[in-house]
Amino acid sequence: MRTRLPIAAACLAMAAACGGPGTPSAGPSRSASPGATAGPAPSGEIAASPEWRLVPRARTRPASALLDVAATGPDDAWAAGYERAAEDNEGGPALQHWDGERWKRVKPPPGAVRLTGVAARGPRDAWVVGHGSYGYAAHWDGERWTAYQPFGVAAEHFLTGVAVTKDVTWMTAHNGTRGQVVGWDGRRFRLAFQADGQFLGVSATGGHVWAVGTDAAGAERGSPMVWHGKAERGGAYSWQRGRTPDIPGGVLQAVWAVSPSQVWAVGTVTAEDGVSRTPLVLRSDGEAWWRVPLPVAAGVLGGVTALADDDVWISGVDAAHPGQVLILRFDGGAWTTSYGPLMRREQEEQQYPESDQVGRATIAPVPGTSRLWVAGAVGWGDDEDGFFLGRG
């Protein structure tokens, strides 16, 4: 589930804990716009798909964003992010819960400054990650939250993603120069793996785990990075870097494993000018990774999930229509492109050039159904608001 380049990058500094989706940073940053373009752009309204509806969120304080969403069923879903933020202020954590009828505001667990990822296996087993004074994680047992510091008091660690399995809860993190994968076995945290670069998203299934991001450290410009962990006899995991295409400026924000032989990862390629962005989708058959052609020429991608082997869904922003969420669906043979409703209309004297643009969007399935949730934010700085879209 993914981190702010949420929109794409949930932030590649969402990834980095949530700044804008441009160049990775060592810590939280709001210095760059999170939208699909880097300057004024018309909303470019296009017909919205009727299958996507805007679902009211619980009331939040101003300057809010939803960076990740996860569901365990029709009446249990979580969304995490931040509120009360500004260009020079991270604000505070935001947490919402869906009870089957509406989204409700939930008091965040203590100690968090920003929540960047959420995952859940059931109503009594949910995790959020992010950062406070240090790298931060918290577990919900159905009655209360228990907060943890997976890296202790080590400074400059930012948790970016979380995936829950029966045996291990996996978390991705980085400290500006190295990406880390941490596992929780129900008793303690273990540093499972680390590599130069930044990890921004994680997915796990059946004794396999994938961590994705970029091999760039700090403000460097790198290439997409994927590491695969496989359970061996005795419970240890062996790690191998995925054979991904060399794509300068490419950053992977999210990953979803349909099975060990079908894994998808999405993100963005930023050109050398630091402005132009191209959507990026990589696919793996368990051995190699290859880039998948897309029907959208420019923009950013921030979320990926699947309802079945031949039903893959991706969320993001099309630079030609930045006022609406972009939804891509792959049926095993071809892509279908659709758009959510226009979030805001461009105003002649709006607060920021990006005030009418979707800045991030992530996507999650509702298990046992054909429903999907999209969570994200429109606007920028203190003119940013989180939103939910629902399908089905």
Side-chain angles (χ1 to χ4, degrees), residues 165-186:
T165 69
K166 179 180 178 181
D167 299 317
V168 183
T169 296
W170 296 99
M171 303 175 187
T172 47
H174 66 82
N175 62 8
T177 59
R178 306 210 82 189
Q180 296 99 5
V181 179
V182 177
W184 166 263
D185 62 8

Side-chain angles (χ1 to χ4, degrees), residues 8 42 49-50 75 79 92 98 107 109 124 134 152 202 204 207 215 265 287 317 329 352 356 376 378 389:
S49 169
D75 58 356
W98 173 260
K107 183 178 180 181
R124 295 180 175 275
Y134 311 101
V202 60
D215 59 12
E287 297 294 334
V317 181
R329 183 182 188 181
Y352 302 101
D356 63 316
V378 59
L389 297 180

Side-chain angles (χ1 to χ4, degrees), residues 295-357:
V296 175
V300 294
L301 302 177
V304 57
T305 192
L307 297 177
D309 289 354
D310 57 355
D311 197 7
V312 178
W313 294 78
I314 294 171
S315 60
V317 181
D318 181 348
H321 310 287
Q324 298 165 262
V325 174
L326 165 70
I327 305 294
L328 296 171
R329 183 182 188 181
F330 185 70
D331 64 5
W335 292 99
T336 300
T337 302
S338 61
Y339 297 85
L342 186 69
M343 303 304 298
R344 288 180 180 173
R345 293 198 174 276
E346 184 181 23
Q347 302 296 316
E348 185 174 347
E349 295 184 0
Q350 59 191 28
Q351 187 171 355
Y352 302 101
E354 305 87 354
S355 287
D356 63 316
Q357 298 180 29

